[in-house]
């Protein structure tokens, strides 16, 4: 959700430049895909999000008997063309669930342990200014309990949070090693307990954790992180509209223009073109493919039971504020929802011009995915957009 502090910090820094056997089974596509009727709850909720000041929004609910889609708004302000149902968009930090899944597959194969330290796989990378990779485990990275600074936020100047700064930096790509170096250039928030680092419960959202996790994947496999995501998740599940863009700042067609309302700006800025990070936030997908991934993951088709259980081991996430009671696992979060006995699993992601929001039931039976092509950076309009999106997600899964 865009209400969590980390999402806004990440967006600000972007301006500043700052296989197991189960993977062989393809995700079963919903039997039918249909648009919801004009008066359906999903359509009403999508229209409510649009009425909060969003240029265009799409959503899809998938279940065992098919999927229902809804949309509202336009593909571009000033035009009459509707936002495409199958629009590509940057899923932002929803990428972290993909990364965590790859890491846990490696754990299931015995090639990596959650208790392994960062130092073991990346000697000397996390050192200096009190940072110590010998005290940070793979579990700390995935659960956001490492204490590492968010590279996005280091040295960020809110006064440079402008359309001009965006235009200067939208083609600029950073290597993961540069991002980690920026993060360890300042003292950490804390160091995990020396006697039991993997058991650390202090929590702080940091994109750096997943940049480091991506580097660990490459150290273990000897192959690029993107290749592992493709060969372990995208290809086995038949996600034909999901990919990692590398350093390309462009989205393929069909898509919709993404707009950002910068602080002190009264009108929106077209921020469709831009860099999207790496293992922490670069994946491009569609609502349909994203839903297939979530249902396959929680339906047990990507991870062995022990690793899926580990993913569900959570700690309180007090700084994450889409709703009370949020807890963070390994690359996925959980929160209680009235009317849903087991609560829901979710993440969410923001990028300039787009807000991705999703959730899945505990058994993987039903998933909801959505993309809103307008990002507001603070203010009552942002809060209202968040509230209405939460309502849509929760009602879709009840």
């Amino acid at each position: 959700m865009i209400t969590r502090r980390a999402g806004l910090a990440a967006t600000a820094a972007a301006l500043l430049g700052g296989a197991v056997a189960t993977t062989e089974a393809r995700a079963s596509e919903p039997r039918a895909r249909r648009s919801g009727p004009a008066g359906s709850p999903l359509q009403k909720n999508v229209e409510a999000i649009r009425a909060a000041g969003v240029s265009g929004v799409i959503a899809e609910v998938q279940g065992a008997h098919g999927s229902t889609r809804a949309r509202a708004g336009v593909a571009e302000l000033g035009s009459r063309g509707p936002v495409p149902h199958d629009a590509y968009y940057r899923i932002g930090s929803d990428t972290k669930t993909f990364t965590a899944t790859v890491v846990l597959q490696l754990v299931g194969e015995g090639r990596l342990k959650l208790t392994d330290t960062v130092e073991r796989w990346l000697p000397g990378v996390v050192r200096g200014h009190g940072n110590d990779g010998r005290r940070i485990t793979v579990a700390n990275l995935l659960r956001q309990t490492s204490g590492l600074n968010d590279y996005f936020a280091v040295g960020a100047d809110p006064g440079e949070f402008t359309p001009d700064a965006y235009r200067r930096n939208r083609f600029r790509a950073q290597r993961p090693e540069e991002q980690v170096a920026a993060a360890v250039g300042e003292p950490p928030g804390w160091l995990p307990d020396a006697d039991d680092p993997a058991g650390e419960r202090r929590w702080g959202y940091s994109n750096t954790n997943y940049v480091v996790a991506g580097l660990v994947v490459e150290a273990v496999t000897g192959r690029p992180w993107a290749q592992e995501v493709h060969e372990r998740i995208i290809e086995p599940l038949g996600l034909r509209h999901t990919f990692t863009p590398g350093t390309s700042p462009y989205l393929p067609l069909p898509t919709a223009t993404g707009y950002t309302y910068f602080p002190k700006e009264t009108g929106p800025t077209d921020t469709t073109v831009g860099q999207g990070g790496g293992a922490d936030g670069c994946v491009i997908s569609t609502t349909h493919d994203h839903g297939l991934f979530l249902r396959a993951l929680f339906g047990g088709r990507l991870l062995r039971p022990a690793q899926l259980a580990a993913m569900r081991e959570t700690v309180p996430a007090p700084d994450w504020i889409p709703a009370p009671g949020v807890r963070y696992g390994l690359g996925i979060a959980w929160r209680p929802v009235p009317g849903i006995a087991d609560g829901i699993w979710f993440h969410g992601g923001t990028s300039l011009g787009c807000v991705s929001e999703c959730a899945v039931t505990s058994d993987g039976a039903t998933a909801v995915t959505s993309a809103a092509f307008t990002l507001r950076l603070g203010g009552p309009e942002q809060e209202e957009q968040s509230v209405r999106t939460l309502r849509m997600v929760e009602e879709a899964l009840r």
Side-chain angles (χ1 to χ4, degrees):
M1 289 299 299
I2 58 176
T3 50
R4 63 175 173 267
R5 298 174 191 173
L8 295 182
T11 306
L15 287 173
L16 304 171
V20 295
T22 52
T23 64
E24 296 175 359
R26 288 182 180 269
S28 56
E29 296 235 0
R31 297 176 186 174
R33 295 172 67 187
R34 60 186 183 275
S35 297
S40 70
L42 182 64
Q43 185 63 43
K44 286 182 177 179
N45 281 320
V46 164
E47 290 172 358
I49 297 169
R50 167 70 180 92
V54 173
S55 58
V57 58
I58 52 176
E60 181 168 340
V61 181
Q62 295 182 17
H65 302 293
S67 64
T68 300
R69 305 182 300 183
R71 64 182 175 182
V74 295
E76 184 176 9
L77 292 176
S79 73
R80 294 185 178 181
V83 58
H85 277 300
D86 54 352
Y88 286 95
Y89 60 96
R90 297 181 180 91
I91 69 171
S93 284
D94 279 319
T95 298
K96 292 177 173 64
T97 312
F98 285 75
T99 299
T101 299
V102 170
V103 172
L104 286 166
Q105 286 183 353
L106 293 172
V107 171
E109 294 165 9
R111 302 172 68 182
L112 178 67
K113 295 180 180 179
L114 288 173
T115 54
D116 284 351
T117 65
V118 170
E119 182 71 14
R120 174 177 178 180
W121 293 104
L122 304 171
V125 171
V126 178
R127 288 288 186 91
H129 299 90
N131 295 278
D132 189 347
R134 297 170 298 182
R135 293 270 295 274
I136 299 172
T137 67
V138 173
N140 295 133
L141 297 176
L142 299 186
R143 198 172 280 123
Q144 306 274 16
T145 57
S146 72
L148 286 172
N149 293 304
D150 194 330
Y151 74 89
F152 270 138
V154 174
D157 179 1
E160 281 290 298
F161 211 12
T162 66
D164 285 343
Y166 153 71
R167 295 186 185 98
R168 287 197 303 270
N169 292 292
R170 57 185 170 171
F171 288 93
R172 180 184 176 189
Q174 283 186 313
R175 294 169 52 247
E177 292 82 2
E178 293 179 278
Q179 295 166 333
V180 176
V184 302
E186 294 185 3
W190 65 84
L191 283 175
D193 189 311
D195 295 327
D196 181 22
E200 177 63 57
R201 296 179 66 80
R202 285 173 289 184
W203 185 88
Y205 194 96
S206 173
N207 289 283
T208 308
N209 286 320
Y210 278 77
V211 175
V212 177
L215 291 173
V216 169
V217 167
E218 295 183 351
V220 172
T221 65
R223 304 199 302 178
W225 164 84
Q227 183 175 353
E228 293 297 322
V229 169
H230 183 89
E231 295 185 1
R232 291 173 174 274
I233 300 175
I234 295 174
E235 189 170 18
L237 294 182
L239 305 182
R240 301 183 184 279
H241 305 286
T242 300
F243 64 95
T244 55
T247 59
S248 173
Y250 298 106
L251 284 166
L253 296 175
T255 190
T257 301
Y259 297 97
T260 299
Y261 285 81
F262 290 97
K264 300 180 181 180
E265 296 287 327
T266 58
T269 299
D270 178 346
T271 53
T272 310
V273 174
Q275 295 291 329
D280 57 324
C282 79
V283 167
I284 292 172
S285 191
T286 62
T287 55
H288 189 65
D289 269 16
H290 193 190
L292 291 177
F293 164 66
L294 291 172
R295 294 186 65 226
L297 176 60
F298 276 81
R301 297 196 293 274
L302 285 171
L303 295 175
R304 294 184 168 118
Q307 281 67 59
L308 184 55
M311 176 175 268
R312 297 172 185 254
E313 293 177 9
T314 62
V315 297
D319 289 337
W320 194 311
I321 52 175
V326 174
R327 300 179 64 89
Y328 201 90
L330 303 182
I332 196 87
W334 176 91
R335 72 175 183 266
V337 173
I340 303 179
D342 297 327
I344 63 174
W345 294 89
F346 72 102
H347 203 284
T350 59
S351 57
L352 288 175
C354 188
V355 180
S356 169
E357 196 61 63
C358 66
V360 62
T361 54
S362 186
D363 59 359
T366 309
V368 56
T369 49
S370 68
F373 291 90
T374 300
L375 175 66
R376 293 179 180 273
L377 302 172
E381 295 89 355
Q382 176 209 322
E383 185 64 26
E384 189 61 29
Q385 179 179 337
S386 296
V387 167
R388 296 183 186 194
T389 305
L390 280 176
R391 183 184 304 132
M392 177 199 70
V393 167
E394 294 178 0
E395 290 186 2
L397 295 182
R398 284 196 179 100

